[in-house]
């Protein structure tokens, strides 16, 4: 261990290497994106709660996705915005570990919820007559609770393994927030156990669900092609394509960050990819589901009509 090892009380978040004028501009742009993300996901959540026609398994899981996206963004973005206008970019050790834990927990839960949503579409299209039996409210509750529990248990394991490490100065996290790979680089000891567990977790919440979703959507596509009604094919394809867009964005970026071998040259790229995950993805999800989903647009129209009466 290095001679500069001591009990760490805080980290410095390096962020982007930009001039003050550009950072101020990014502050206003990212603030607008963050506010829009909260409002859009809040609107989706509100519509699902208020409109009885959206009280179905598909929208039940979509409401969980909206909650995760709002929480996911709120865990990382406020501190990032503060650092853009403040040169004192420190974060306490406890806050850093908590931010890492929540970031991992929400990310893993979103992966599992997206997998459950694809299973819901698979049952709805491939086994329509058995849909209400298979996707009962009891089953939906169990699937949602299991996704949250698994996501945060995995995050807790990774956070506990992180807590046991000694850290060496300078305690500069070369990232926008306390992202686990960037924090691990500051450890004074070999982090192979952390790396192995992180890789195993990535396989469990990324590769496994993605493979299951691909199998599901191959069967869904085959079932859609056999639907006689043109309107039925269009409705089924529209719903599934919305989900595929979200899955492609989320899983694609996560696999690039956590499953591609790390290098110093990729650090700036990883900051941008993580920014997309934390800020843009939560903003795009409600747009994708609302713009491509007739039922959500109809629910919004009915809500606006009631308000104007």
């Amino acid at each position: 261990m290095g001679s500069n090892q001591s009990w760490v009380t805080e980290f410095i978040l390096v962020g982007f290497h930009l001039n003050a004028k550009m950072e101020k501009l990014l502050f206003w742009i990212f603030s607008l994106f963050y506010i829009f993300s909260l409002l859009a996901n809040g609107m989706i959540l509100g519509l699902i709660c208020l409109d009885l026609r959206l009280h179905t398994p598909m929208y039940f899981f979509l409401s969980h996705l909206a909650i995760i996206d709002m929480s996911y963004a709120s865990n990382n973005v406020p501190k990032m915005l503060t650092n853009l206008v403040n040169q004192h970019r420190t974060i306490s050790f406890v806050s850093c570990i908590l931010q890492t834990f929540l970031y991992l927990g929400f990310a893993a839960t979103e992966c599992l919820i997206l997998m459950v949503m694809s299973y819901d579409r698979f049952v709805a299209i491939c086994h329509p007559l058995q849909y209400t039996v298979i996707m009962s409210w009891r089953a939906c509750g169990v699937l949602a609770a299991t996704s949250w529990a698994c996501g945060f248990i995995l995050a807790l394991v990774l956070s506990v393994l992180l807590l046991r490490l000694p850290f060496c100065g300078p305690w500069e996290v070369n990232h926008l927030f306390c992202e686990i790979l960037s924090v691990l680089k500051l450890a004074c000891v070999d982090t192979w156990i952390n790396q192995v567990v992180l890789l195993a977790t990535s396989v469990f919440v990324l590769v496994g669900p993605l493979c299951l979703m691909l199998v599901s959507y191959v069967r869904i596509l085959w079932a859609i092609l056999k639907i006689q009604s043109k309107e039925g094919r269009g409705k089924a394809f529209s719903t599934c394509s919305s989900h595929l867009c979200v899955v492609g964005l989320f899983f694609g970026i996560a696999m690039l960050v956590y499953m591609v071998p790390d290098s110093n040259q990729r650090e700036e790229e990883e900051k941008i990819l993580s920014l997309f995950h934390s800020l843009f993805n939560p903003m795009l999800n409600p747009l994708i589901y609302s713009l491509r989903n007739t039922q959500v647009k109809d629910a919004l129209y009915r809500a606006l009509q009631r308000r104007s009466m």
Side-chain angles (χ1 to χ4, degrees), residues 175-194:
H175 213 282
L176 306 170
F177 52 89
C178 285
E179 192 273 331
I180 188 166
L181 290 175
S182 299
V183 176
L184 282 176
K185 291 177 182 177
L186 304 182
C188 302
V189 295
D190 190 1
T191 60
W192 71 270
I193 295 177
N194 302 71

Side-chain angles (χ1 to χ4, degrees), residues 245-307:
C245 287
V246 173
V247 167
L249 286 170
F250 190 86
F251 278 78
I253 294 169
M255 291 180 79
L256 279 174
V257 172
Y258 291 104
M259 302 202 72
V260 174
D262 194 24
S263 66
N264 293 330
Q265 289 75 23
R266 292 186 63 243
E267 285 183 344
E268 295 302 313
E269 295 173 20
E270 286 178 1
K271 289 180 190 178
I272 296 170
L273 291 172
S274 297
L275 179 65
F276 193 96
H277 248 191
S278 301
L279 187 60
F280 299 124
N281 202 57
M283 181 183 69
L284 289 173
N285 283 355
L287 281 177
I288 291 169
Y289 279 110
S290 59
L291 292 177
R292 297 184 61 87
N293 194 303
T294 305
Q295 287 177 296
V296 173
K297 287 189 282 188
D298 288 345
L300 178 59
Y301 179 71
R302 288 192 294 271
L304 293 174
Q305 273 191 323
R306 286 196 296 269
R307 189 174 179 84

Side-chain angles (χ1 to χ4, degrees), residues 64 67-68 71 106 109 113 143-153:
H64 281 265
I67 292 169
I68 292 168
S71 306
F106 289 127
T109 304
I113 287 290
L143 287 170
T146 303
S147 297
W148 282 91
C150 286
F152 276 88
I153 287 170

Side-chain angles (χ1 to χ4, degrees), residues 9-46:
T9 57
E10 62 181 24
F11 290 112
I12 299 168
L13 297 172
V14 175
F16 288 121
H17 300 284
L18 301 169
N19 59 55
K21 189 175 180 180
M22 181 59 71
E23 286 184 340
K24 188 167 287 189
L25 175 64
L26 288 178
F27 169 82
W28 290 110
I29 294 172
F30 292 165
S31 294
L32 289 173
F33 285 166
Y34 176 54
I35 293 168
F36 179 82
S37 173
L38 293 182
L39 290 175
N41 281 291
M43 181 196 73
I44 293 284
L45 189 60

Side-chain angles (χ1 to χ4, degrees), residues 113-119 121 213 217 238-248 288-289:
I113 287 290
L114 287 171
M115 180 183 68
V116 170
M117 289 175 74
S118 72
Y119 175 69
R121 290 301 84 206
M213 282 187 280
Y217 274 101
S238 176
T239 304
C240 293
S241 60
S242 299
H243 186 251
L244 276 173
C245 287
V246 173
V247 167
I288 291 169
Y289 279 110

Side-chain angles (χ1 to χ4, degrees), residues 45-56:
L45 189 60
L47 287 174
I48 292 170
C49 291
L50 296 173
D51 198 307
L52 292 176
R53 298 183 195 185
L54 299 183
H55 289 187
T56 64

